[in-house]
Amino acid sequence: MNDILRPSGFSEDVQRRFDIVSYDPRGVARSGSVTCSASVYNQMPYPVMTSQADYDTWVAFDKKLRADCRTLTGPLYDHVDSVNVARDMDAIRAALGEDKLTSYGVSYGTLAQQMYAELFRTGSGPWCWTATWTTA
């Protein structure tokens, strides 16, 4: 909301061809964020895994971090994920009366777009991604 009046960053041609609509994805900025303890987060293992033991350490850390974040965030935690963000994107598409969603995504927005494309294949229009994520 703070940046609502700033220039869009899109060319005049893009602005003529598309309605520019923005939203605040769940868990980002003003929509409520996930809260975790720094003391738990700072226990993050070394990021390069070279053995089963390293993998097991990461699994244990992930479980501990998830439980910590869930406790501190509360029930919101159960609804802040890419699947729900994709559903929100489809609700925006439907509210605009569009058959297909055309989207430009940056950073986490690219993961939300990929999830949208998986869940709503027939509702996906042209996309512009600045990066991609593997969901494998």
Side-chain angles (χ1 to χ4, degrees), residues 18-33:
F18 298 96
D19 294 321
I20 308 296
V21 177
S22 182
Y23 70 102
D24 185 17
R26 296 174 187 225
V28 176
R30 293 180 179 250
S31 68
S33 59

Side-chain angles (χ1 to χ4, degrees), residues 3-25:
D3 295 329
I4 197 91
L5 297 177
R6 73 181 173 139
S8 75
F10 294 105
S11 70
E12 289 182 21
D13 185 45
V14 168
Q15 292 181 58
R16 273 192 303 277
R17 294 183 61 209
F18 298 96
D19 294 321
I20 308 296
V21 177
S22 182
Y23 70 102
D24 185 17

Side-chain angles (χ1 to χ4, degrees), residues 103-106 109-110 113-114 117 127-133:
S103 182
Y104 170 78
V106 177
T110 62
Q113 288 176 315
Q114 286 177 251
W127 300 93
C128 179
W129 294 351
T130 59
T132 58
W133 297 61

Side-chain angles (χ1 to χ4, degrees), residues 18-109:
F18 298 96
D19 294 321
I20 308 296
V21 177
S22 182
Y23 70 102
D24 185 17
R26 296 174 187 225
V28 176
R30 293 180 179 250
S31 68
S33 59
V34 172
T35 303
C36 307
S37 301
S39 61
V40 174
Y41 181 83
N42 290 334
Q43 295 172 25
M44 184 182 298
Y46 184 69
V48 178
M49 292 181 270
T50 60
S51 67
Q52 183 65 44
D54 291 345
Y55 177 80
D56 294 342
T57 299
W58 265 100
V59 169
F61 170 74
D62 286 347
K63 288 180 181 177
K64 184 175 184 178
L65 183 63
R66 184 216 174 274
D68 176 70
C69 298
R70 173 59 173 86
T71 297
L72 293 176
T73 304
L76 172 68
Y77 185 88
D78 301 327
H79 305 282
V80 179
D81 58 41
S82 297
V83 171
N84 281 308
V85 170
R87 290 182 181 134
D88 294 343
M89 292 168 68
D90 196 56
I92 293 168
R93 178 208 52 78
L96 294 172
E98 298 291 336
D99 293 328
K100 296 195 179 289
L101 178 69
T102 301
S103 182
Y104 170 78
V106 177
S107 188
Y108 170 69

